[in-house]
Amino acid sequence: MPWSLPITRVTALLLGACTLDLTDPARTGLATDRASYVARYESGQGPYRQFAFTVVARFTNHTAGTLYLGRCYPDSPHPIYGVELVDASRSSWGSAFGPAWACVGHDEQIAVAAGETRVDTLLLRGPNGWDGRTGEVFGAMDGAMRLVYHVQECRGDGACPSARLDGRSNAFTVRVD
């Protein structure tokens, strides 16, 4: 009989089909070169010091069609990216390494053909915002984070976000030295 699976197993199969496995690069498309990074002092003084670390990001198009990665200007060498704090309850501002973007509209996104892998070396800097009176950092400087690319299924500025690839990387940890 085809419906002889126990109801708990059927429920588990259905729930499993609806969840997003952010550890599966075939679903997210994006992976970092390491599981942990150390952010080292780069510039600034007092409470306005900035730290940085380098991430090598690999975006693989696991779909049958071309995907497009948003970029700030038509000739920007790398995609627009965000840095997401995995435990959002740690800071209402998210990750302190999330960059601020001021971009122009265009339709020259980075094309990644089916089966192709794109490698970007990104220098992540933070914090990128402080309270001007207290010097308090906006965002978490350490902990579990993810890199995020905006993945589209067509050209155009913000048009047709991909439903097939999520654009979030594996989680990685950051500590400040």
Side-chain angles (χ1 to χ4, degrees):
M1 178 173 218
W3 296 102
S4 63
L5 287 173
I7 193 70
T8 53
R9 188 163 178 199
V10 171
T11 303
L13 289 172
L14 289 173
L15 289 174
C18 295
T19 59
L20 175 61
D21 181 1
L22 291 176
T23 62
D24 180 8
R27 174 64 183 121
T28 65
L30 188 58
T32 63
D33 62 322
R34 299 178 52 196
S36 65
Y37 298 91
V38 176
R40 301 195 189 285
Y41 170 77
E42 186 180 62
S43 65
Q45 295 180 13
Y48 304 105
R49 298 183 328 148
Q50 205 169 37
F51 297 80
F53 60 99
T54 301
V55 173
V56 177
R58 298 175 60 83
F59 178 81
T60 302
N61 180 351
H62 296 285
T63 72
T66 299
L67 293 174
Y68 300 88
L69 304 176
R71 63 175 155 186
C72 201
Y73 297 100
D75 59 352
S76 294
H78 58 73
I80 294 172
Y81 61 87
V83 181
E84 176 181 87
L85 188 61
V86 172
D87 180 1
S89 69
R90 289 193 55 225
S91 170
S92 61
W93 290 97
S95 168
F97 291 95
W101 296 96
C103 302
V104 300
H106 61 84
D107 65 353
E108 296 294 323
Q109 290 71 33
I110 298 167
V112 183
E116 186 177 284
T117 296
R118 174 184 172 80
V119 179
D120 292 293
T121 301
L122 307 171
L123 180 63
L124 304 186
R125 290 185 176 99
N128 290 305
W130 299 263
D131 182 301
R133 286 180 288 139
T134 66
E136 183 181 342
V137 169
F138 293 153
M141 290 290 294
D142 61 2
M145 300 182 192
R146 281 193 181 90
L147 190 62
V148 183
Y149 280 4
H150 176 73
V151 183
Q152 300 182 173
E153 295 190 12
C154 67
R155 288 200 183 274
D157 208 20
C160 53
S162 177
R164 296 180 285 170
L165 287 183
D166 179 71
R168 284 179 170 81
S169 75
N170 51 287
F172 54 86
T173 58
V174 176
R175 76 175 173 84
V176 176
D177 186 23

